[in-house]
Amino acid sequence: MDPRASALDRAILSFIGRYAAARPPDGEFGALALRLFEHQVRHNPAYRKFCEGRGVRSGRVRDWRGIPAMPASGFRELKVAAFPASRARKVFWTSGTTAAARGRHFLDTLKLYEASLVPPFERALLPDGASCRFFILIAPPREAPHSSLSHMMGVVARRFSRAAARYSIRGGRSLFDALARDLGRERRPVMLLATAFSLKAFLDHLASHHRKLVLPRGSRLFETGGFKGRAAEVSKTRLYRMTARLLGIPSAWCVSEYGMTELSSQFYDAVAGRPATRRRSMRGPAWTRTLVIDPATGREAPHGRTGLLRHFDLANRGSVIAVDTEDLGRRAPGGGFELLGRVPASERRGCSLAYEELTAR
Amino acid sequence: MSVPAAYPALVRARQAGPERRPVRAIARALGRLSSRWLDPKFPYRRRALRRLEPRWPGAMAARALDALFGELTERKLAAFLRAELGDPRVLDGFRAARAGGHVRARGRELVLHVTPGNVPNPSVVGVVLSLLAKSASAVKLSGRDPGLLGLYLESLRRADPGLAASVRVLGPGEDWTAWARAASLVVAYGGDRTLEAIRAKVPGGTPFQGYGHRVSAGFFTAPVLSAALAAKAALDVWMLDQGGCLSPSRFFVGRGGVMAPEVFAGTLAAALGRLSGGRAAGAERARNIELVRRRLEVRALRAAALRPLVFRAGRWAVVLDREGTLAGGEGTVVVRPFRRPEEALAAIEVLRAQGEPLQAVALEAPGTERARLAEALSRSGANRICRAGAMQNPPLSWHHDGRQALASWLEWTDLER
C-alpha cells in the first residue's frame, strides 16, 4: 500500500479510536477531511476529473463543506478508487437487478471499514453490554461476498454474538420455520438482525401460521434497508408494532440502521432500550457529517426543509470522502437527520393517471 | 351481473335526447356552446380558468381552452364528421354507400370514459364524441381531475339539457367497475398498468379503447435552427407544463448549420424561462432537475466527453445529451444533437424498443427533406407529425394512438340491394 495512504489510515484509525464515544471539535474533523480530500484528488483519477469539471482544484478547498460530493450514480458508471482498482481487496456491489445498473465500492483494505462499523453498532444495539445470540435474516457473507451488509453481519456476529450466529437466509431461501423454532427455544436475550423486507416476510409468516413468540427480556431488533419501492411497503411504526405483537420486542428495543454500499460508516436512529422521547432521527459516528442540500440552490437547505442528503465519511479513504445521495431527508431538531425515503422514480408521462389514482376513489 | 341503478335512466335520456336528433343538430348545438367557451367573458370559461390556473398558470390554461374549443366549433365538427364518416348522416339512417348498397352507423348504447388527470382536454373531447355518436356516457374522473369537465357539463345543461341528460359523472366512491361491466364501450387513458387494471374489469365481449403511454419529440434539421424555432419549441414544452403525451421531452437537433445545437439549447431554455415569467422550480421539480444534472455529469466523465451543458431557467432545465441516454420530462428537456438525421431516427427506434413509443413529432426541415423524414417517422410509429409551436393544438381529426377517433367507436350495418 502507498505509504501516504497508510499514514492517512493511521490518522483515521486514531480519530475513530479517540472519538468512538464523543464528538470531536469541528476543526479536527475538518482538517482530516481536507487532508483526505487532497489525497483522493491526487490518487483517484475519476474523482480528480470530476472535481476539475466542477472547477475545484486541489489546495483550493478551505472548508470540508466545500469538498465536491460524487453522486452515488458515479459508483455505477466510474471506477471510484483512490488506488489501482486491480489491487482491491474487496468490492462491494450495490443492490440492483442488472450488473450494469449496480454500483461498486472498491476497498484496498477492510481495516477502516471494520473499525468504523463496530463502535456505532455497539453503542446503538448493545449499550447495556448485553450478551445476545444473533439471529440474522440476511444472507451470510459466504453466500453474498459482494454485499456490504452481509459483510457487516459477519463482523458484528463474530465480535458480539454470544454463540455462533444463526443465518436464516440460505441459498436464497428463507428458513422461517427453523428460525421460529430456534427463537422459541432461547431463554436469554437475542438480537434479530434483518432488512425491513425480510423482517416483514418473517412476521407475515408467523401471523399466517398463528404463531406468536415472546422473546426473552432484553431481546432487540436491528433493522435496515427500508423497502425501496417494493409492493409490500408498510410504515416503520407498523412494522415495529407487529414486531412487538409477534416477537415480544418492544419498539424501544428496535433500532433502525441506515447505510449505503458507497459509504464505510452507518447511521442509527435510536439506542436499544432507551425509549425515544421525540421523532427518531439518524445519527452517524464522529467521523461522519451529513448535509441536507437544497437541490434548487446546491447549498444547505434551511433548517427543517427537505433536501437531498450529502454524506461525508472519513472512513471512505479508498474512494471519495463525500457522496451525494438520492435520499431525501431534513435536519432533525435535536441533531442528526430524518430520513424521508428515496426520491421517487420519475412518473411516466403521457395521457395517464397513476394506478393509485384510479383505485383511490 | 348487477347493472348500476342509474343505468336505465341514462339510457332513457339517450333515447329521448341525442338518439332522436339528427347528427347535424347535435353538432350545431355543441359547436355553438364551444363558440361561447371561446369568448373570454363567458362565465363558465372564467370559472374554468380559476380552476385550472393553479396547475397551469399564466396564459397556459387560457391557451389550452382556446386549443380545445377552437377544434369543437360547428364548422370544425362538421368537417371532422365528414372526414371520419364520409356522409355524417349515416348516424341518422341508412345512406348510400360508395361501394354500392347502403350503410348505417350507430353509437354504442353507453360509453364508460375513464379520464386522465394530467391534462384537461381528453375528458371533454370524449364526451363530445359520444354525443355526436348519440351514445350515453358515464365518466369516471381521475383522482387528479382538473375540474374542466364538470363545468363543461354544467354549461351544457344550461345550453341543451336534452343532450346533457345523457352524460353522467360518477360520484366519489361510486363503483366504476359495475359501469365497466354494463357499458357497451370503454374508453380509457392511462399508463400500461392502469390500462391493464381497467381492461381486467371489462367483459371480454365489450370493446375497449385504451390510450396508453407515449412520448412526443421535436426533430429539427441543422438548416432550420433559429431563435424563432426555439421559441416555438419552448411553447410546445411549456403548454400544460410538459404534462401531456403531446408534450415534448426531447428534441433531436441537427449539427452543422449556422446555429449550433448548444446555442439552440441555451436559446430554448431562455425562451422557457420567459414563458414561465421567472417562476422558480418547486421542490419536486428541482430535485428532478438536480438528479438529471448529476447523471449527466457522471456520464460525461465516463465518456471522457466535453463538460455537460445544463441550461437552467426558472422552473426548467435544458440539457445537452451528447450520448442520447437521457429521457427528459418533469421540467427537464433533452437536446440530442445529430450529424445525420439517420442517427436520430436510430435513436427513436431504440426508444421504441425500450417501451417508449412515439406520439407526436414536431418536424422542421427544408423542402423535400421534411417529406422524407415524415415517411421515416411514420415508419417509426409517430401518429402525428406537426409544425413546431402547434404540438398542443391537435386537430379533432388526429388519429390519437394511430386510430380513427369516432369511427372506431361505432357499430356499422351494411344494407345490400
Side-chain angles (χ1 to χ4, degrees):
Chain A
M1 190 188 285
D2 179 271
R4 281 161 301 193
S6 302
L8 254 176
D9 284 4
R10 281 195 298 278
I12 296 163
L13 287 169
S14 153
F15 189 100
I16 290 174
R18 279 176 294 131
Y19 297 113
R23 195 167 172 81
D26 202 46
E28 197 171 342
F29 174 87
L32 191 48
L34 291 176
R35 207 176 132 197
L36 185 52
F37 164 69
E38 294 295 337
H39 172 83
Q40 290 173 340
V41 169
R42 197 163 306 137
H43 297 281
N44 183 337
Y47 186 53
R48 181 167 59 245
K49 267 171 66 187
F50 174 79
C51 292
E52 283 166 3
R54 290 263 179 108
V56 176
R57 291 215 195 120
S58 141
R60 296 283 172 86
V61 180
R62 303 261 172 259
D63 182 350
W64 62 267
R65 291 174 188 81
I67 295 174
M70 173 67 84
S73 63
F75 286 79
R76 284 200 296 271
E77 312 243 357
L78 310 164
K79 274 186 185 161
V80 185
F83 55 89
S86 56
R87 273 193 231 147
R89 244 202 90 196
K90 191 82 182 170
V91 184
F92 290 134
W93 291 71
T94 59
S95 51
T97 44
T98 61
R102 295 174 68 182
R104 294 167 301 172
H105 191 180
F106 298 92
L107 300 170
D108 58 347
T109 170
L110 284 163
K111 250 194 238 163
L112 289 174
Y113 186 83
E114 295 181 0
S116 161
L117 76 85
V118 168
F121 177 87
E122 187 174 14
R123 204 146 60 109
L125 272 306
L126 297 162
D128 50 356
S131 161
C132 295
R133 184 169 192 191
F134 284 22
F135 288 84
I136 303 177
L137 264 168
I138 289 160
R142 226 175 324 143
E143 290 188 17
H146 293 299
S147 158
S148 55
L149 181 61
S150 289
H151 183 84
M152 176 184 176
M153 292 299 102
V155 173
V156 293
R158 272 197 308 278
R159 178 86 186 245
F160 296 111
S161 182
R162 187 176 64 235
R166 277 291 175 86
Y167 287 91
S168 298
I169 294 189
R170 284 294 173 93
R173 285 176 53 231
S174 307
L175 310 174
F176 290 154
D177 283 325
L179 174 62
R181 187 193 60 222
D182 293 347
L183 284 173
R185 286 180 187 153
E186 285 294 320
R187 295 289 166 262
R188 292 168 63 191
V190 303
M191 188 186 303
L192 183 62
L193 302 98
T195 63
F197 194 76
S198 63
L199 174 65
K200 173 72 168 47
F202 178 52
L203 295 172
D204 285 344
H205 177 88
L206 291 178
S208 66
H209 289 74
H210 308 287
R211 282 204 70 175
K212 251 188 203 182
L213 300 169
V214 181
L215 296 180
R217 201 181 157 78
S219 293
R220 58 208 69 193
L221 170 73
F222 165 103
E223 166 271 315
T224 186
F227 289 93
K228 295 196 175 151
R230 296 216 207 194
E233 197 155 351
V234 291
S235 74
K236 193 155 283 181
T237 318
R238 199 170 144 229
L239 191 65
Y240 288 176
R241 216 177 287 141
M242 283 176 79
T243 305
R245 187 161 53 83
L246 295 168
L247 294 175
I249 302 179
S251 78
W253 290 86
C254 297
V255 176
S256 183
E257 182 252 19
Y258 161 74
M260 292 175 69
T261 303
E262 297 86 344
L263 296 178
S264 303
S265 304
Q266 296 81 29
F267 304 80
Y268 294 88
D269 76 342
V271 172
R274 215 170 284 171
T277 49
R278 55 173 177 269
R279 272 227 294 275
R280 289 173 175 235
S281 61
M282 287 290 174
R283 284 161 192 272
W287 45 97
T288 64
R289 293 283 188 280
T290 298
L291 300 180
V292 177
I293 300 298
D294 178 351
T297 62
R299 291 192 286 273
E300 266 196 274
H303 211 90
R305 284 269 284 281
T306 301
L308 293 161
L309 298 179
R310 175 178 299 167
H311 301 299
F312 296 79
D313 184 356
L314 294 180
N316 254 17
R317 195 265 305 143
S319 52
V320 285
I321 175 177
V323 178
D324 258 339
T325 74
E326 299 189 3
D327 292 332
L328 292 171
R330 64 176 163 234
R331 274 150 75 194
F337 58 92
E338 281 176 49
L339 192 61
L340 302 170
R342 178 73 53 94
V343 176
S346 285
E347 206 184 338
R348 278 188 149 195
R349 287 295 177 168
C351 291
S352 59
L353 76 166
Y355 180 70
E356 287 71 20
E357 288 170 27
L358 173 75
T359 48
R361 74 186 269 192
Chain B
M1 184 179 85
S2 66
V3 170
Y7 191 104
L10 204 54
V11 170
R12 277 197 302 278
R14 170 201 184 221
Q15 287 160 353
E19 259 212 316
R20 286 204 178 163
R21 292 161 67 169
V23 64
R24 188 173 291 172
I26 298 173
R28 189 179 307 130
L30 294 171
R32 282 183 184 160
L33 181 58
S34 300
S35 302
R36 301 192 67 192
W37 271 88
L38 289 168
D39 177 359
K41 293 193 209 92
F42 186 48
Y44 283 104
R45 177 188 170 100
R46 290 160 75 156
R47 281 173 64 191
L49 287 179
R50 280 200 294 278
R51 216 173 258 193
L52 300 180
E53 274 173 353
R55 256 168 94 175
W56 296 292
M60 234 186 254
R63 275 176 181 267
L65 292 184
D66 289 343
L68 171 63
F69 290 106
E71 283 301 312
L72 300 178
T73 59
E74 185 180 354
R75 189 175 60 81
K76 288 277 182 82
L77 288 178
F80 163 69
L81 286 169
R82 279 197 302 277
E84 285 260 318
L85 307 175
D87 181 351
R89 285 173 295 176
V90 291
L91 283 164
D92 302 331
F94 278 102
R95 303 294 302 169
R98 275 191 198 146
H102 290 76
V103 68
R104 169 79 156 101
R106 284 177 194 283
R108 319 254 170 185
E109 186 172 70
L110 184 131
V111 182
L112 171 68
H113 303 266
V114 184
T115 68
N118 56 325
V119 284
N121 299 7
S123 58
V124 174
V125 169
V127 165
V128 166
L129 292 186
S130 294
L131 287 169
L132 290 173
K134 307 184 188 183
S135 298
S137 290
V139 185
K140 155 79 182 99
L141 292 176
S142 157
R144 291 179 65 227
D145 178 64
L148 177 62
L149 183 67
L151 285 174
Y152 178 72
L153 291 176
E154 250 185 82
S155 72
L156 182 63
R157 263 193 293 280
R158 289 198 129 197
D160 195 325
L163 287 182
S166 59
V167 184
R168 184 170 188 280
V169 174
L170 307 190
E174 193 169 347
D175 180 16
W176 65 273
T177 60
W179 288 90
R181 287 193 295 273
S184 32
L185 167 69
V186 176
V187 177
Y189 294 83
D192 301 343
R193 200 171 142 222
T194 311
L195 290 183
E196 263 172 46
I198 297 169
R199 188 170 219 150
K201 304 290 180 193
V202 179
T206 307
F208 177 83
Q209 293 278 357
Y211 295 98
H213 169 75
R214 282 171 177 266
V215 296
S216 291
F219 197 119
F220 308 143
T221 60
V224 299
L225 298 187
S226 68
L229 180 60
K232 287 180 186 171
L235 188 66
D236 288 333
V237 174
W238 168 82
M239 273 294 290
L240 298 176
D241 210 24
Q242 209 188 16
C245 60
L246 291 174
S247 299
S249 51
R250 284 186 191 82
F251 288 93
F252 297 94
V253 173
R255 196 182 278 292
V258 176
M259 190 183 233
E262 288 76 4
V263 179
F264 181 83
T267 314
L268 175 61
L272 279 167
R274 279 196 300 277
L275 282 169
S276 299
R279 267 179 80 224
E284 193 183 325
R285 184 169 276 202
R287 281 201 299 268
N288 190 51
I289 291 173
E290 171 61 14
L291 295 186
V292 168
R293 191 195 61 72
R294 284 186 198 169
R295 260 171 247 155
L296 199 68
E297 192 178 17
V298 166
R299 280 190 192 162
L301 283 178
R302 190 190 58 183
L306 300 168
R307 273 189 65 192
L309 280 177
V310 180
F311 301 91
R312 290 196 198 209
R315 48 197 273 101
W316 301 96
V318 178
V319 299
L320 198 82
D321 183 16
R322 298 179 181 92
E323 282 189 77
T325 45
L326 292 173
E330 311 248 351
T332 61
V333 183
V334 171
V335 169
R336 163 90 203 269
F338 64 81
R339 287 221 169 262
R340 293 179 311 113
E342 277 58 35
E343 290 169 23
L345 292 169
I348 287 170
E349 281 304 321
V350 171
L351 287 178
R352 185 150 76 146
Q354 289 169 347
E356 301 267 306
L358 267 186
Q359 185 87 291
V361 180
L363 173 63
E364 297 292 353
T368 53
E369 178 70 346
R370 186 167 190 265
R372 185 184 79 82
L373 291 174
E375 191 63 37
L377 288 168
S378 163
R379 260 197 304 278
S380 298
N383 57 59
R384 181 171 167 237
I385 297 168
C386 62
R387 292 288 179 181
M391 289 192 95
Q392 305 292 346
N393 302 42
L396 196 56
S397 56
W398 163 41
H399 294 102
H400 191 176
D401 280 18
R403 299 192 288 264
Q404 281 195 298
L406 184 63
S408 59
W409 294 13
L410 302 174
E411 281 182 302
W412 296 79
T413 308
D414 297 318
L415 171 62
E416 296 164 19
R417 280 172 209 264

